[in-house]
């Protein structure tokens, strides 16, 4: 089990719930646009939000965001250690930087001392694009791990242990190999993700393969799905990955079959309507919408309840795989919604 790190009002590592992260892509100096995006991220379920800070003017702008959101805010620093120091001083909840980009050890120590003084954790973020030349003879995954551990030892040299590590690549296999190695060599909390994964479906699939493989291995304490475009979509994708990995069970899960010629009703429309009606439910409920009774109730026997289409506009209604009645296909959605609401009410009273 990884070590616990407190970031403002949440704890990561140590068996705590896996936190979802994202990053603003507005102009940091545009306080209206950035604050609005941070609000949208928080409403979408983002647990930790990162902001790029590249100048003293941007540090000053960030003072407008500190303390205004329930979710912790992380300063993303590249190259200038003085900005990291100032970000710790104004109250950022965590600093992310690559010590290899900061400069000599004295500058790293200066940064570490500031973070110590203000109780600010540090994420060591190593990407394949920022690897030192000394690791050029290694495979990319080996080099990522070697670089990260080198920087960990440097922070430990200065008596700093409030550390989170990430080792990312845009290549899924490199990313997974690196994190598996790292998890075997350290118990520091790990932030996982596939960097520069792209946009839309391909970016989500690439991230889901890499992040999902690690989560199923029990690796990862925070996650980010890195997508080009609106970062709110990153949060939605991350939540889905956590749900499908079995690590977030507080939602209404809908399973449905791919259908074949035996399906005699508009299954897809029923699923879409149910998804829209249950999207805000934060309780564990599993329902099944199946095309026919050939194997519907059996395949979905672990669902709380569900339906399987039949002939003449009828559908079998079942609970835990046992058929309990027959309803008109026109009543599928209202019947299931009532059963969902009744279950949630019953669970709340028990």
């Amino acid at each position: 089990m990884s070590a616990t790190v407190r970031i403002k009002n949440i704890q990561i590592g140590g068996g705590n719930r896996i936190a979802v992260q994202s990053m603003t892509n507005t102009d940091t100096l545009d306080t209206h646009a950035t604050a609005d995006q941070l609000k949208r991220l928080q409403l979408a379920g983002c647990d930790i939000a990162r902001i790029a800070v590249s100048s003293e003017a941007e540090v000053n702008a960030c003072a407008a965001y500190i303390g205004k959101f329930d979710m912790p805010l992380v300063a993303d620093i590249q190259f200038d250690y003085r900005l990291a120091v100032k970000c710790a001083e104004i109250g950022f909840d965590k600093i992310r930087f690559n010590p290899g980009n900061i400069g000599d050890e004295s500058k790293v120590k200066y940064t570490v001392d500031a973070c110590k003084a203000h109780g600010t954790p540090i994420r060591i973020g190593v990407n394949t694009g920022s690897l030192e030349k000394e690791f050029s003879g290694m495979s990319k995954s080996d080099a990522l791990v070697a670089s990260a551990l080198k920087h960990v030892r440097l922070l430990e040299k200065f008596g700093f242990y409030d550390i989170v590590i990430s080792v990312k690549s845009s290549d899924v296999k490199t990313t997974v190999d690196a994190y598996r190695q790292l998890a075997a060599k350290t118990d520091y909390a790990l932030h996982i993700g596939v960097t520069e994964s792209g946009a839309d479906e391909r970016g989500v699939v690439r991230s889901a393969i890499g992040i999902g493989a690690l989560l199923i291995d029990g690796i990862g304490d925070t996650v980010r799905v890195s997508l080009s475009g609106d970062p709110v979509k990153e949060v939605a994708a991350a939540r889905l990955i956590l749900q499908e990995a079995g690590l977030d069970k507080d939602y209404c899960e809908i399973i449905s079959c791919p259908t074949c010629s035996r399906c005699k009703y508009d299954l897809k429309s029923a699923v879409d309507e149910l998804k829209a009606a249950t999207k805000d439910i934060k309780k564990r409920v599993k329902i099944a919408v199946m095309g026919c009774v050939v194997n519907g109730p059996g395949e979905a026997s672990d669902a709380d309840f569900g339906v399987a289409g039949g002939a003449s506009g009828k559908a079998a209604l079942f609970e835990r795989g046992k058929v309990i009645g027959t309803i008109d296909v026109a009543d599928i959605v209202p019947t299931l919604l009532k059963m969902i609401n009744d279950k949630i009410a019953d669970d709340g009273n028990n």
Side-chain angles (χ1 to χ4, degrees):
M1 184 178 293
S2 58
T4 301
V5 178
R6 175 173 287 280
I7 306 170
K8 193 180 180 179
N9 56 347
I10 70 171
Q11 294 188 75
I12 63 171
N16 286 288
R17 181 179 65 84
I18 294 173
V20 171
Q21 297 197 26
S22 188
M23 185 173 182
T24 59
N25 60 9
T26 50
D27 181 351
T28 303
L29 292 175
D30 188 337
T31 55
H32 176 77
T34 301
D36 180 67
Q37 192 170 78
L38 287 168
K39 289 176 187 175
R40 291 175 58 235
L41 286 169
Q42 184 168 285
L43 287 171
C46 183
D47 296 308
I48 302 171
R50 185 157 46 111
I51 304 172
V53 182
S54 304
S55 68
E56 190 165 344
E58 291 188 352
V59 174
N60 295 333
C62 287
Y65 316 131
I66 303 297
K68 301 297 193 300
F69 300 91
D70 293 333
M71 61 184 174
L73 300 181
V74 180
D76 187 273
I77 307 295
Q78 297 293 337
F79 304 113
D80 193 338
Y81 73 98
R82 293 167 296 186
L83 298 179
V85 171
K86 290 180 181 294
C87 285
E89 291 174 346
I90 69 168
F92 265 100
D93 302 300
K94 186 170 71 172
I95 305 294
R96 183 269 184 184
F97 69 91
N98 182 339
N101 289 342
I102 291 294
D104 60 47
E105 288 192 8
S106 65
K107 294 175 181 177
V108 176
K109 184 178 186 305
Y110 194 54
T111 303
V112 166
D113 288 345
C115 289
K116 273 186 181 180
H118 296 280
T120 311
I122 292 173
R123 171 154 74 93
I124 296 172
V126 181
N127 292 350
T128 48
S130 60
L131 289 170
E132 300 93 328
K133 291 182 180 179
E134 65 187 276
F135 304 120
S136 60
M138 298 181 175
S139 70
K140 287 291 179 65
S141 57
D142 289 348
L144 283 167
V145 174
S147 177
L149 293 178
K150 171 190 172 184
H151 299 321
V152 165
R153 288 191 291 270
L154 180 57
L155 267 58
E156 290 175 338
K157 175 181 176 180
F158 300 132
F160 193 88
Y161 304 95
D162 210 5
I163 299 169
V164 181
I165 311 172
S166 64
V167 284
K168 296 184 181 181
S169 169
S170 58
D171 179 77
V172 173
K173 188 175 187 306
T174 298
T175 299
V176 172
D177 287 348
Y179 276 109
R180 284 173 174 166
Q181 285 187 53
L182 191 60
K185 294 181 178 181
T186 182
D187 63 357
Y188 283 114
L190 300 180
H191 168 72
I192 64 173
V194 179
T195 194
E196 300 148 0
S197 62
D200 303 324
E201 292 88 352
R202 184 171 292 276
V204 172
V205 170
R206 182 178 287 137
S207 295
I209 293 171
I211 293 171
L214 293 169
L215 292 175
I216 289 171
D217 280 354
I219 297 170
D221 303 291
T222 74
V223 302
R224 181 192 176 190
V225 175
S226 299
L227 299 176
S228 303
D230 187 349
V232 171
K233 293 181 179 179
E234 297 184 350
V235 178
R239 291 288 173 196
L240 283 173
I241 292 169
L242 289 173
Q243 289 171 0
E244 295 308 318
L247 297 169
D248 179 1
K249 297 183 179 180
D250 291 333
Y251 72 105
C252 182
E253 180 182 0
I254 301 171
I255 63 170
S256 59
C257 69
T259 73
C260 67
S261 62
R262 288 191 296 266
C263 181
K264 303 302 182 183
Y265 74 104
D266 189 353
L267 180 147
K268 178 63 165 53
S269 292
V271 170
D272 289 344
E273 192 173 345
L274 286 165
K275 281 175 61 178
T278 60
K279 63 182 176 63
D280 295 324
I281 290 176
K282 303 299 181 185
K283 299 289 185 180
R284 176 59 170 161
V285 186
K286 184 173 183 177
I287 63 175
V289 184
M290 310 301 282
C292 70
V293 295
V294 171
N295 52 16
E299 284 192 2
S301 60
D302 63 336
D304 292 300
F305 32 79
V307 295
S312 304
K314 299 293 184 178
L317 183 67
F318 58 88
E319 187 170 359
R320 290 291 174 182
K322 182 180 179 181
V323 176
I324 59 173
T326 302
I327 61 174
D328 292 335
V329 293
D331 295 329
I332 285 176
V333 172
T335 299
L336 290 179
L337 287 176
K338 183 179 186 305
M339 294 178 79
I340 291 168
N341 290 327
D342 288 347
K343 174 177 168 50
I344 291 172
D346 289 343
D347 290 348
N349 294 327
N350 294 331

